[in-house]
Amino acid sequence: MKASWDIFCSVVDNYGDIGVTWRLARQLVAEHQVPVRLWVDDLQAFVPLCPEADASAAQQWQQGVEVRVWPKEWQPVEVADVVIEAFACTLPDSYRQAMKARETPVLWINLEYLSAEDWVSGCHGLPSLRPDGLKRMFFFPGFDAGTGGLLREADLLAQRRTFEQNPQARQAFLQGLGVFVADSARLISLFAYENSGLASWLDAIATGNTATHLLVPQGRIMGDLLRWLGIDELALGRVEQRGSLTVQSLPFVRQQDYDRLLWSCDFNAVRGEDSFVRAQWAGRPLLWHIYEQEEGAHWIKLNAFLALYVKGLSPAAAQAFTGLWHAWNGGCDMAQSWNDVQQYWQELSEHAEQWCLEQSLQADLAQALVLFYRNWI
Ligand code: TRH
């Protein structure tokens, strides 16, 4: 019999926690045919990623995954063979006790946040022994062979290639979202937190020579965007023109369509963790708005990724790219760095594909988890 998996997800804020766990759950079911229960404490955050979901159902099946509400008052259930505690979300006490009482041991994994820092490969896969006698294993996603890798569906890159080779598919997808792009226009997607650097970036695009169509899914950057546009509302589908820049807001689309959006664009601004990884699989130059942490801890993560990513770029392109990411994450003036990046557009585009290819040589995270379990039993 196939091992059963329980994935626990507590939604702290935003969509990253549920975004990662829902993606992992789907992939475990689809590619490894294992039964997965996904326990989520906030279904409101789940529905935008999976619009068929019922925000009020205590139990439902979506794409083969049993999605369960993680109730405040935990009710006893049979413990799974593999238990994933996503991002140290703390398992229910009684579930943990049931794990301890179980005759066959349970593999308990804490799935950590993504980081490119050096220490990650040293800690990946290490156990932590707890006073209650249970053992919890640390599983770190990451960018090199010593880590658990990145979430990537087996056919993801092939799907992207098929999409890219069929311009009608791109056109139909964009038109389905109400997007009509001029042939010569550059297409950019923008998913970000509030950012005081936005106005200077948009000024630079609007006054630049390249016709640019900016697509902005509903979200936290909208306030800054409206302020820059000088309007109170940007209805879905409505287009605003400022100089070389066309701005359009988009609905929040299901996860699979968000991939298509990234594949359709020439440049993607992304945030958090999961959209950041998806933009890398899109093989296009990207701009990452990292999730801010206390005491600036996120800068260490940002620079660790940059150090890896810019290897292989010419020093000048690396400097321009780093400058852009630093300006964006510092909420600083973006004009200079955006203009600098224009000179290396071709190089950055080729590099993004190369990076995607290199990363795809690693085992993906779901596969690595399944292997981890196999080696453990
Ligand atoms: O929403 P986020 O900012 O999540 C963050 C990060 O994960 C951060 O590390 C974590 O600590 C914090 O949450 C609590 O960004 P992220 O990770 O990119 O998640 C967004 C998800 O939304 C991702 O799965 C992609 C998905 N998405 C869609 O499905 N459709 C859309 O239209 C858009 C814009 C995003």
Side-chain angles (χ1 to χ4, degrees), residues 10-20 22-23 48-50 87 113-114 190-191 193 217-218 220 250-259 261 270-278 288-291 293 301:
S10 168
V11 177
V12 178
D13 60 4
N14 303 315
Y15 300 104
D17 309 292
I18 183 63
V20 168
W22 168 232
R23 188 181 298 291
L49 308 180
C50 175
F87 314 123
Y113 285 111
L114 173 64
L190 170 60
F191 181 45
Y193 308 113
Q218 293 296 312
R220 289 173 54 176
L250 292 186
F252 197 95
V253 293
R254 66 175 57 249
Q255 261 186 341
Q256 288 93 332
D257 282 342
Y258 184 60
D259 277 331
L261 178 66
V270 287
R271 71 183 205 192
E273 176 159 332
D274 192 53
S275 59
F276 171 51
V277 172
R278 303 316 278 184
W288 184 27
H289 199 181
I290 193 170
Y291 186 77
Q293 286 175 283
K301 270 179 146 182

Side-chain angles (χ1 to χ4, degrees), residues 116-137:
E117 289 163 273
D118 279 347
W119 57 264
V120 163
S121 48
C123 295
H124 171 62
L126 289 186
S128 103
L129 292 169
R130 300 164 36 90
D132 59 11
L134 283 169
K135 200 172 16 166
R136 184 168 57 159
M137 313 299 286

Side-chain angles (χ1 to χ4, degrees), residues 13 20 29 68 80 104-105 110 155 165 173 182 192 197 200 202 209 233-235 252 304-305 347 357 363-364:
D13 60 4
V20 168
V29 169
R68 298 282 289 262
T104 27
N110 182 34
D155 58 351
Q165 283 158 9
F173 169 70
S200 58
L202 299 186
N209 298 325
E233 199 194 345
L234 183 58
F252 197 95
F305 178 79
E347 183 181 344
L357 271 177
D364 71 77

